[in-house]
């Protein structure tokens, strides 16, 4: 159980009570219709297409607020409908819980969620102590003093981060705010955007028309809405890269300009992709379906999981629409690439003893061995000895890796009908387990070699060889 | 002197996924793959037809499969950690059917990895992720955990990647991810030998038919040969240029068969301490190679792996 829970309840209760009672007589003096009329049409921050959903959310929040105020005025416990993001089940959570059955409801996840929800309630409901423009503030009618301010504010998007900074003491962490926002969005079955809350993207992108900015080739992934205005006629391919280091080294080489596959765009979301990056790449794929989007991931369970997150979204964020790219193509690294690598492992055969569980095969090459493949993955290896640092690493799978692989295998197996991509993912995960090996891309020094390899892969796929 | 082997037949797409393990009886090859079914192809009929498919044997696919030398008992482990045993039906149909339940020996699901069966199928041994070994006695209707070799000061907790039981069922050998090779006495539960390792993951260990030698191979790309009388390292076979995924002794103990991740299969003469044949029908990984028990004049072996096919080879010399 979260030891921070009770204090949060107290805090929430206090603010809900205070503002609930104080403003109850004016709470519904205004309605959402008036609010919508005031909204500047076509503003970039709140696109029109979201209007209907948002209005629906506003009225549903108002219903809840109304029932809460009623409950408060009748001195009844507050009851909130709550849906679990894990199971999707709806629960009614009471607060404070006075009956034994109510106490039960507070156990486990339900309890934690209710604590969260009351904090969230603060977030959405109290309009003076925490000034933020989440869904709740939209529903709140203007009191004479704050009214205009809130109208304005509610119509522009708010960053999760700024919500957190409105009351860091209450929320304690940015992550907590993110979860609250997702909980609320999930409860209403809408996306974050419709709550007017966005997270700043952590993703980076390079290639025209993005950047350079301040001399840096890579820029932060822009909001998905801006895709409408993009001109990508020159772009032949897009490469989504798992690791920032790999991305940076390719950017510094200007691979997006010099690739034999033509002009391209490089992008990374630094590991598991955030919602904003996924929405952006989704929008690109919808608007420019002719541009192939490739994924360059590590050969490990997280690599497959990240690939699947781009393609199909994540379980806990399934209420978010327009955030998947089912057509994403898996470029590598795959088990078949390991064969080339082993050719270069040969000189290592008589090396000293490995260091137990953490045994790694640092890849090095023997200058006397010429395998004649000028553009192969194996070409990456000479750099590793030259620079005295391994760029590509074969590692044994940790217990966590194995557990992750099995979890992915189970979820893939639960698919009613596996498509060819899912069969490939299954097969690669099984091979990781059988080999007990993962292969991480850490190519910082070997950008040129990586570029050769990408050239070869991209042109093979597009049928130019 | 080299030996000639010819491709006798290839069963294309014997499975819809990578074939991780094969096991041979006198009349059939059993195969396990990334799909949920175990397949049985007859080796005593033309074109090696599929004679039985045990569907839903392992929901998430199967990575290890072994059959007793007498061809009566088989055992398999799936990616969910599910351990199953099978036997040839008493009805005379020749079909395989479920045999005894093996409680997972107190191990959590997913911990059982490699497995081996004794000659008559009465002893079953499995490795675990943390380097333990469990040995069961199988009888009709029941299974009993006979030995559990715990990781201790001597045994490391490195992943047990490979295992074999001597033909007489007295000894168990294991190959580990850190390169260690151990030989245990199944009766006493003690370690007999802790053999000088390969320094790299040991993906295959195999007792010679007479039980006098042990071969071990893996990511070092070499096969190491140990004499079991005194636990000495007696030979090293070099020539593979990729991880060795699987090895098997011929019936007579004269030859070793090996399969590597680059798709190459090699036959090694123990006497000559040299490779006498190399085959590369595929550039895709070989994951399991097995001699077929000798029934005629010709030696035969079978290879399988990432090309999802079963390839049968026959010795070219000495016509039938």
């Amino acid at each position: 159980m979260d030891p921070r829970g009770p204090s949060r309840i107290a805090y929430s209760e206090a603010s809900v009570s205070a503002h609930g009672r104080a403003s109850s007589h004016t709470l519904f003096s205004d309605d959402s219709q008036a609010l919508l009329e005031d909204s500047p049409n076509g503003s970039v921050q709140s696109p029109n297409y979201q209007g209907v959903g948002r209005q629906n959310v506003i009225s549903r929040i108002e219903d809840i607020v109304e029932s809460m105020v009623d409950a408060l005025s009748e001195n009844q416990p507050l009851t909130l409908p709550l849906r679990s993001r894990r199971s999707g089940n709806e629960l009614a959570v009471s607060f404070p819980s006075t009956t034994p059955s109510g106490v039960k409801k507070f156990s486990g996840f339900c309890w934690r969620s209710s604590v969260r929800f009351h904090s969230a309630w603060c977030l959405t409901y109290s309009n003076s102590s925490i000034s933020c423009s989440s869904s709740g503030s939209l529903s709140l009618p203007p009191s004479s003093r704050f009214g205009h301010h809130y109208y304005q504010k509610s119509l522009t998007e708010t960053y999760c981060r700024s919500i957190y900074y409105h009351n860091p003491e209450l929320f304690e962490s940015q992550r907590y705010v993110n979860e609250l926002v997702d909980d609320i969005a999930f409860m209403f079955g809408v996306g974050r955007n419709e709550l007017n809350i966005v997270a700043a993207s952590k993703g980076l992108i390079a290639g025209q028309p993005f950047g350079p900015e301040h001399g840096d080739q890579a820029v932060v992934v822009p909001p998905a809405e801006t895709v409408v205005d993009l001109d990508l006629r020159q772009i032949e391919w897009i490469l989504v890269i798992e690791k920032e280091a790999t991305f940076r080294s390719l950017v510094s080489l200007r691979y997006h300009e010099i690739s034999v596959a033509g002009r391209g765009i490089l992008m990374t979301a630094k590991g598991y992709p955030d919602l904003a990056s996924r929405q952006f790449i989704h929008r690109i794929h919808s608007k420019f379906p002719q541009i192939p989007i490739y994924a360059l991931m590590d050969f490990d369970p997280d690599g497959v999981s990240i690939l699947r997150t781009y393609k199909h979204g994540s379980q806990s964020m399934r209420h978010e629409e327009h955030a998947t790219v089912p057509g994403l193509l898996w470029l590598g690294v795959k088990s078949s690439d390991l064969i080339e690598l082993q050719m270069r492992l040969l000189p290592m055969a008589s090396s000293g003893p490995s260091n137990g569980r953490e045994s790694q095969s640092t890849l090095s090459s023997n200058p006397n061995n010429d395998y004649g493949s000028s553009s192969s993955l194996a070409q990456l290896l000479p750099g590793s000895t030259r620079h005295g640092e391994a760029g590509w690493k074969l590692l044994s799978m940790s217990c966590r890796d194995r557990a992750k692989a099995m979890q992915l295998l189970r979820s893939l197996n639960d698919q009613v009908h596996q498509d060819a991509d899912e069969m490939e993912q299954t097969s690669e995960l099984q091979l990781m387990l059988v080999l007990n090996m993962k292969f991480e891309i850490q190519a910082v020094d070997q950008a040129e070699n990586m570029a050769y390899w990408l050239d070869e892969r991209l042109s093979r796929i597009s049928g130019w060889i | 002197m080299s030996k000639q082997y010819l491709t006798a037949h290839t069963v294309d797409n014997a499975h819809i996924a990578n074939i991780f393990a094969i096991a041979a009886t006198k009349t059939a090859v059993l195969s396990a793959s990334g799909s949920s079914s175990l397949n049985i192809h007859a080796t005593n009929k033309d074109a090696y037809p599929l004679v039985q498919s045990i569907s839903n044997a392992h929901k998430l696919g199967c990575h290890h499969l072994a059959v007793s030398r007498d061809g009566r008992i088989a055992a398999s482990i799936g990616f969910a950690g599910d351990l199953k045993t099978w036997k040839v039906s008493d009805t005379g149909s020749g079909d395989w059917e479920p045999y005894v339940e093996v409680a997972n020996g107190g191990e959590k699901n997913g911990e059982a990895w490699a497995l081996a069966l004794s000659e008559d199928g009465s002893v079953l041994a499995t490795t675990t992720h943390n380097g333990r070994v469990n040995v069961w006695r199988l009888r009709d209707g029941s299974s009993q955990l006979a030995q559990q070799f715990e990781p201790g000061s001597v045994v490391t907790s490195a992943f047990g990647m490979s295992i074999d039981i001597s033909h007489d069922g007295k000894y168990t050998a294991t190959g580990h991810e850190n390169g260690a090779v151990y030989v245990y006495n199944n009766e006493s539960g003690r370690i007999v030998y802790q053999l000088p390792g390969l320094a790299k993951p040991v993906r295959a260990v195999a007792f010679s038919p007479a039980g006098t030698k042990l071969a071990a191979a893996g990511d070092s790309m070499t096969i190491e040969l140990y004499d079991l009388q005194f636990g000495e390292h007696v030979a090293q076979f070099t020539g593979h240029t990729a991880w060795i995924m699987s090895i098997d002794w011929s019936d007579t103990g004269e030859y070793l068969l090996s399969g590597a991740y680059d798709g190459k299969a090699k036959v090694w003469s123990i006497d000559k301490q040299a490779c006498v044949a190399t085959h590369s029908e595929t550039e895709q990984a070989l994951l399991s190679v097995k001699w077929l028990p000798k029934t005629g004049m010709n030696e035969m072996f079978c290879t399988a792996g990432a090309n999802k096919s079963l390839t049968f080879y026959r010795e070219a010399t000495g016509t039938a």
Side-chain angles (χ1 to χ4, degrees), chain A residues 336-410:
Chain A
S336 51
D337 298 321
L338 298 180
I339 293 176
E340 286 178 47
L341 279 164
Q342 286 178 54
M343 305 294 276
R344 297 286 163 153
L345 282 170
L346 186 58
M348 299 294 291
S350 56
S351 71
S354 59
N355 53 345
R357 292 184 65 78
E358 294 301 315
S359 69
Q360 311 177 346
S361 311
T362 303
L363 306 177
S364 72
S365 78
N366 184 336
N368 300 324
N369 287 345
D370 183 9
Y371 293 98
S373 54
S374 60
S375 61
S376 69
L377 186 55
Q379 263 245 333
L380 294 166
L381 301 170
S384 59
T385 37
R386 199 166 52 232
H387 296 278
E389 187 185 338
W392 300 62
K393 261 184 190 159
L394 273 172
L395 302 159
S396 44
M397 299 259 281
S398 65
C399 284
R400 188 198 155 272
D401 289 327
R402 298 191 69 86
K404 177 90 197 175
M406 281 170 68
Q407 175 213 324
L408 284 165
L409 280 179
R410 280 198 194 91

Side-chain angles (χ1 to χ4, degrees), chain B residues 306-317:
Chain B
N307 71 353
K308 307 173 178 60
S309 306
L310 298 172
T311 306
F312 293 91
Y313 294 87
R314 181 174 46 218
E315 189 184 2
T317 55

Side-chain angles (χ1 to χ4, degrees), chain B residues 1-168:
Chain B
M1 189 198 96
S2 67
K3 284 178 75 103
Q4 291 283 319
Y5 293 87
L6 305 172
T7 311
H9 189 77
T10 298
V11 180
D12 285 322
N13 297 312
H15 283 266
I16 56 167
N18 294 331
I19 300 176
F20 291 112
I22 56 174
T25 69
K26 283 193 164 68
T27 56
V29 163
L30 289 69
S31 51
S33 76
S35 65
S36 61
S37 56
L38 299 177
N39 286 351
I40 293 117
H41 287 82
T43 51
N44 56 354
K45 296 183 177 134
D46 284 342
Y48 305 85
L50 178 71
V51 289
Q52 192 188 355
S53 182
I54 306 173
S55 56
N56 288 316
H58 294 279
K59 204 175 84 171
L60 300 185
C62 175
H63 52 76
H64 277 87
L65 168 74
V67 66
S68 62
R69 202 149 288 270
D70 67 8
R72 275 186 54 252
I73 308 293
S76 53
I77 302 180
F79 282 97
D82 39 342
L83 171 55
K84 295 197 173 176
T85 65
W86 313 90
K87 66 164 185 168
V88 173
S89 169
D90 297 329
T91 62
S93 64
D95 278 355
W96 290 84
E97 58 188 37
Y99 186 40
V100 296
E101 293 261 335
V102 182
N104 231 344
E107 302 290 344
K108 273 185 283 181
N109 249 9
E111 287 188 354
W113 188 251
L115 86 173
L117 280 166
S118 67
E119 192 158 19
D120 63 355
S122 65
V123 180
L124 167 69
T126 63
T127 64
T128 70
H129 289 183
N130 50 12
R132 269 194 298 229
V133 179
N134 293 321
V135 180
W136 282 272
R137 302 227 170 261
L138 304 184
R139 290 183 189 85
D140 254 327
S142 73
S143 68
Q144 187 196 345
L145 187 63
Q147 286 289 351
Q148 198 163 28
F149 308 132
E150 295 278 343
S153 55
V154 186
V155 184
T156 74
S157 59
F159 193 153
M161 303 194 81
S162 50
I163 190 165
D164 195 25
I165 298 180
S166 63
H167 289 199
D168 57 12

Side-chain angles (χ1 to χ4, degrees), chain A residues 29-63:
Chain A
S29 62
D30 205 346
D31 64 16
S32 53
Q33 192 55 47
L35 190 81
L36 286 171
E37 280 166 12
D38 274 5
S39 74
N41 285 331
S43 97
V44 174
Q45 285 87 356
S46 60
N48 287 328
Y49 71 91
Q50 292 175 330
V52 177
R54 191 169 295 164
Q55 194 175 357
N56 180 31
V57 171
I58 290 167
S59 61
R60 286 169 66 191
I61 292 178
E62 284 181 351
D63 289 346

Side-chain angles (χ1 to χ4, degrees), chain A residues 206-208 210-218 237 239 241 246-266 447-448 450-451 454-455:
Chain A
Q208 288 303 325
F210 308 101
E213 218 171 67
H214 313 300
D216 194 351
Q217 285 283 312
W237 51 270
L239 183 64
I241 300 161
T246 317
F247 168 83
R248 293 269 183 205
S249 52
L250 286 170
V251 169
S252 67
L253 199 75
R254 294 178 176 260
Y255 184 71
H256 47 285
E257 292 168 5
I258 61 165
S259 169
V260 296
R263 278 185 175 272
I265 289 172
L266 300 166
E448 286 177 34
M450 167 113 56
L454 285 172
D455 274 352

Side-chain angles (χ1 to χ4, degrees), chain A residues 4-265:
Chain A
R4 298 168 303 188
S7 66
R8 275 192 196 170
I9 292 177
Y11 195 104
S12 311
E13 187 185 25
S15 66
V16 166
S17 317
H19 303 291
R21 284 179 210 280
S23 56
S24 61
H25 62 287
T26 58
L27 254 179
F28 302 103
S29 62
D30 205 346
D31 64 16
S32 53
Q33 192 55 47
L35 190 81
L36 286 171
E37 280 166 12
D38 274 5
S39 74
N41 285 331
S43 97
V44 174
Q45 285 87 356
S46 60
N48 287 328
Y49 71 91
Q50 292 175 330
V52 177
R54 191 169 295 164
Q55 194 175 357
N56 180 31
V57 171
I58 290 167
S59 61
R60 286 169 66 191
I61 292 178
E62 284 181 351
D63 289 346
I64 294 172
V65 171
E66 195 164 4
S67 68
M68 296 279 285
V69 172
D70 286 349
L72 283 169
S73 64
E74 290 160 21
N75 209 14
Q76 297 291 313
L78 307 179
T79 305
L80 294 172
L82 180 76
R83 271 207 298 162
S84 158
R85 271 200 290 150
R86 278 177 200 281
S87 65
N89 295 333
E90 190 154 324
L91 315 152
V93 181
S94 293
F95 175 82
S97 187
T98 47
T99 63
S101 67
V103 172
K104 258 189 228 163
K105 284 182 188 164
F106 275 79
S107 61
F109 174 76
C110 177
W111 189 87
R112 279 180 59 86
S113 301
S114 74
V115 171
R116 266 180 208 177
F117 202 85
H118 282 82
S119 305
W121 198 241
C122 260
L123 172 84
T124 56
Y125 180 71
S126 83
N127 64 350
S128 59
S129 66
I130 303 164
S131 98
C132 75
S133 59
S134 65
S135 51
S137 71
L138 272 172
S139 74
L140 291 165
S143 69
S144 53
R145 211 150 44 113
F146 293 109
H148 185 65
H149 173 67
Y150 277 101
Y151 273 165
Q152 292 300 332
K153 211 166 176 201
S154 61
L155 294 166
T156 57
E157 292 185 332
T158 296
Y159 285 99
C160 281
R161 192 135 195 91
S162 59
I163 294 176
Y164 166 69
Y165 282 116
H166 276 297
N167 199 335
E169 262 176 62
L170 173 67
F171 297 118
E172 288 187 5
S173 76
Q174 175 66 50
R175 184 192 165 87
Y176 193 83
V177 175
N178 290 343
E179 290 196 9
L180 281 180
V181 171
D182 290 331
D183 280 344
I184 295 171
F186 183 70
M187 203 189 99
F188 292 113
V190 298
R192 278 183 172 199
N193 289 359
E194 282 168 287
L195 297 181
N196 251 356
I197 299 175
V198 292
S201 175
K202 65 170 177 161
L204 295 172
I205 195 163
Q208 288 303 325
F210 308 101
E213 218 171 67
H214 313 300
D216 194 351
Q217 285 283 312
V219 296
V220 170
V221 170
E225 287 79 12
T226 61
V227 168
V228 181
D229 306 320
L230 288 179
D231 175 6
L232 298 185
R233 274 173 299 182
Q234 307 283 314
I235 298 301
E236 304 276 352
W237 51 270
I238 296 168
L239 183 64
V240 176
I241 300 161
E242 177 182 344
K243 289 233 169 97
E244 186 184 358
T246 317
F247 168 83
R248 293 269 183 205
S249 52
L250 286 170
V251 169
S252 67
L253 199 75
R254 294 178 176 260
Y255 184 71
H256 47 285
E257 292 168 5
I258 61 165
S259 169
V260 296
R263 278 185 175 272
I265 289 172

